[in-house]
Structures are given as C-alpha cells and as structure tokens.
Amino acid sequence: MRYFFYIRYLMPSANHAFLAGRCIACLHGFISGPKITSSGIGVSFPSWATGTVGDSIAFVSKDINALSYLSSARYFKNMADEGFIDVSDIKMVPATLEEVRFIRNQHVAKSFPGEIKRRLIRSKNRAEKRGETFMPSSAVSDRFVDHCHVIPIDSHSSGQRFPLYVQLETLGEESKCDSYNSYGLATQHTYPGSVPNLKQIT
C-alpha cells in the first residue's frame, strides 16, 4: 500500500522547473536529516509533458508518517500561506495506475550543445599540448538523447546550484520498486524506483 500528496504551483507565470527544484531540495534535506531514515520517498510529476516539467509535483511512499512529516515542512507551509502553492492531503495510491520511472541521468548533459562545445575545446587543447593534430570525433555530435527536463537545485553542502537531468520512462504494469536516490529519483543502475502515474487523479 502506497500513499502520496501533491503540490500544485498556483502562480501563472511561475518557473515550474525552478519550483520543482526547490521542492526536491526540501525532500533531500529531510532525507539527509535525522527524522527520515530511509530514501523510500519517490518523486512523481503528474503534469509532465514534452514542453514542461508541469505545474505540480508529488511525493510517494509506503511510509505515511514520513509523508506527513514532509508535507508539514516549513517551506511548503510558508509558500502555501502566501498563496504560491497548494498542498494536498495525503491520499492512498489507487492500485490500477500504471508505473513510471523518473530517472536522474547526468550523462545526458554530455549531449547538450554547450557541453559538446566545451568537450571539443578541451580535447583540442589536450591534442595541441601533445603536439598532435586535433581530429574531432563525429560520434560526439551524432549522439542521440531521449527527451529530458533540466531541474535546477541548490546543494545544501556547497550552496552551489546544479542541474538535475530527469527523464521519464513508462513501465506499464511492471512490479513496483521503492528504491530512490536522495532526490526521490531513480537512476540508471543503482536505484530502480518507480512511482505511479498520477496524471489522471491530481
């Protein structure tokens, strides 16, 4: 049995990716703290689309107490009091929903034009230092990448902002798994966590 609550962003002109990053940072802070001892809380994006991460984010877990504690976070309460977000009650996940996986894939960054350019410049500089003629590989620019969204997040430890590259994978009726990283996301190898597709019920 799993539970969830969702947050909807109410400001019409809001940067949804930025707000998603703030919500994920809040989850990360709770998981890193003393009161939530497991990473069994997954993140779902009910209104995810090709052009946007969507105007809502949901948190899913078997642990209703952990969700209750997270939903009462000061950041969420302050944002709700100001009318910037709406925080739902905690609800039970219907058993009939399909499973999806939101995967953190930092390797995607290597295929963005800016990163490709930086890598080419580094390779050129290294070749010149060795006294060699630089021959760029066509494989670098031909790399294919599945669609992803970039969510900015601030590091608690360094204070620096960095991007989370997140991709959606549809699983259909595959078995559920609640193993997530500290941002509530799946990864390609270590954390296979899935979450329900909440598009129809939020």
Side-chain angles (χ1 to χ4, degrees):
M1 190 175 300
R2 292 181 298 173
Y3 305 89
F4 75 98
F5 74 91
Y6 67 89
I7 291 172
R8 190 175 305 281
Y9 318 130
L10 301 179
M11 298 173 288
S13 59
N15 182 327
H16 294 158
F18 173 79
L19 289 175
R22 296 301 298 268
C23 292
I24 291 173
C26 192
L27 168 66
H28 180 69
F30 272 71
I31 289 175
S32 302
K35 295 193 177 181
I36 295 182
T37 58
S38 72
S39 58
I41 300 177
V43 169
S44 185
F45 299 94
S47 47
W48 177 284
T50 301
T52 175
V53 73
D55 66 352
S56 60
I57 187 171
F59 300 95
V60 181
S61 180
K62 295 176 181 177
D63 188 340
I64 192 172
N65 293 322
L67 287 183
S68 178
Y69 182 61
L70 177 62
S71 69
S72 64
R74 181 178 299 175
Y75 174 73
F76 296 152
K77 184 179 186 307
N78 290 344
M79 289 286 282
D81 288 345
E82 293 292 332
F84 296 145
I85 64 172
D86 178 50
V87 182
S88 79
D89 294 331
I90 296 174
K91 306 177 182 182
M92 189 181 300
V93 175
T96 56
L97 299 182
E98 71 170 1
E99 289 292 296
V100 295
R101 186 177 288 136
F102 290 99
I103 302 171
R104 182 188 182 189
N105 183 3
Q106 297 304 98
H107 296 292
V108 171
K110 297 179 180 178
S111 300
F112 279 67
E115 180 60 24
I116 290 173
K117 182 178 179 181
R118 285 189 289 273
R119 291 170 63 209
L120 287 172
I121 290 171
R122 287 196 299 269
S123 297
K124 181 174 183 290
N125 290 338
R126 285 195 296 267
E128 289 175 349
K129 286 181 180 179
R130 295 192 301 265
E132 300 172 359
T133 302
F134 175 60
M135 299 292 291
S137 170
S138 60
V140 173
S141 58
D142 291 342
R143 186 190 301 263
F144 175 77
V145 181
D146 291 334
H147 172 75
C148 81
H149 285 305
V150 182
I151 298 175
I153 188 167
D154 295 322
S155 169
H156 282 280
S157 56
S158 68
Q160 299 296 311
R161 181 165 296 173
F162 64 95
L164 292 176
Y165 296 90
V166 182
Q167 293 176 295
L168 168 65
E169 179 185 9
T170 302
L171 302 176
E173 297 180 357
E174 289 191 19
S175 60
K176 304 173 180 64
C177 177
D178 62 351
S179 175
Y180 315 99
N181 67 11
S182 61
Y183 299 104
L185 301 169
T187 62
Q188 291 179 308
H189 303 294
T190 308
Y191 298 99
S194 67
V195 289
N197 185 346
L198 298 168
K199 184 181 290 290
Q200 301 301 322
I201 63 171
T202 55

